[in-house]
């Protein structure tokens, strides 16, 4: 990284721009959800609280996983709660997608699985509905499988073509035309 001093600033700028974009998306997501749940005044207040939160302002411009983890955690629980309120396959798959992104950001998200069960049970109790344990089990299995597929894609796509050999770290990119042309394009 530092040996390539001419491009280090550009690399940092790109990483920080992604973090700033995700931080902005977090604020907009919180405002959007708060507006749909509590109205525009509460949404403005929530956006102000997020915008001036010291943790968000401190970490929002650095390429760390705190802000993406917060964003994907929030989205995961929003979509899961929406699924519990009105179960559809689309909402379940969206919850799995959000859970996969949260899991790819931090593996601490595995602890969401018991929380999914608790939220489902609370939603069934509030709506005076019987708890169908088979539906709950299938829902948790589906969200887990979809989440693991997303994690696999997130980690597999950037590392496609990289290999490790017994004699140490292998060539950076396997001789495939796509990767060779991509490297030539990036080197110029």
């Amino acid at each position: 990284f530092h040996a390539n001093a001419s491009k280090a600033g550009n690399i940092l700028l790109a990483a920080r721009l992604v973090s700033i974009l995700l931080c902005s998306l977090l604020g907009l997501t919180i405002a959007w959800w708060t507006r749909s749940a509590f109205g525009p005044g509460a949404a403005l207040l929530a956006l102000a609280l997020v915008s001036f939160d010291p943790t968000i302002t401190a970490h929002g411009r650095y390429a760390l996983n705190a802000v993406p983890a917060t964003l994907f955690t929030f989205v995961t629980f929003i979509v899961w709660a929406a699924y519990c309120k009105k179960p559809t396959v689309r909402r379940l798959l969206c919850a799995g997608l959000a859970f996969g992104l949260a899991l790819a950001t931090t593996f601490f998200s595995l602890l969401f699985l018991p929380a999914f069960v608790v939220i489902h049970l609370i939603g069934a109790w509030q709506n005076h509905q019987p708890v169908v344990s088979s539906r709950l089990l299938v829902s948790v299995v589906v969200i887990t499988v979809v989440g693991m597929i997303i994690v696999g894609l997130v980690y597999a796509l950037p590392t496609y073509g990289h290999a490790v050999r017994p004699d140490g770290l292998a060539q950076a990119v396997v001789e495939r035309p796509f990767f060779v042309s991509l490297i030539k394009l990036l080197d110029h």
Side-chain angles (χ1 to χ4, degrees):
F1 181 78
H2 292 290
N4 192 2
S6 64
K7 295 182 182 178
N10 293 339
I11 294 169
L12 278 174
L13 178 65
R16 288 180 175 169
L17 283 176
V18 170
S19 186
I20 291 169
L21 177 71
L22 289 174
C23 188
S24 301
L25 191 59
L26 173 66
L28 291 174
T29 304
I30 289 173
W32 168 79
W33 181 80
T34 306
R35 182 169 190 241
S36 66
F38 303 108
L44 190 60
L45 178 63
L47 182 60
L49 290 173
V50 169
S51 299
F52 296 113
D53 179 43
T55 304
I56 298 295
T57 56
H59 294 279
R61 62 190 174 118
Y62 294 119
L64 302 170
N65 74 338
V67 172
T70 305
L71 171 65
F72 296 133
T73 298
F74 184 67
V75 170
T76 298
F77 283 105
I78 287 173
V79 178
W80 179 253
Y83 169 75
C84 290
K85 184 181 267 188
K86 184 180 177 189
T88 64
V89 173
R90 181 175 176 232
R91 288 182 180 191
L92 182 62
L93 293 176
C94 287
L97 173 68
F99 177 60
L101 292 173
L103 198 56
T105 304
T106 176
F107 286 115
F108 179 74
S109 301
L110 280 173
L111 297 176
F112 295 172
L113 293 172
F116 292 151
V117 173
V118 170
I119 290 172
H120 184 81
L121 295 174
I122 290 172
W125 177 71
Q126 284 180 338
N127 296 327
H128 306 290
Q129 296 173 345
V131 177
V132 181
S133 56
S134 61
R135 190 185 84 174
L136 175 59
L137 179 65
V138 168
S139 299
V140 172
V141 167
V142 167
I143 197 172
T144 303
V145 169
V146 171
M148 291 300 171
I149 290 171
I150 297 300
V151 168
L153 289 173
V154 165
Y155 282 105
L157 291 178
T159 60
Y160 178 75
H162 295 272
V164 176
R165 297 187 205 169
D167 60 342
L169 190 61
Q171 65 196 57
V173 176
V174 176
E175 296 297 321
R176 294 196 173 108
F178 171 76
F179 292 110
V180 171
S181 61
L182 183 63
I183 289 173
K184 286 180 183 175
L185 180 68
L186 294 175
D187 281 342
H188 292 297

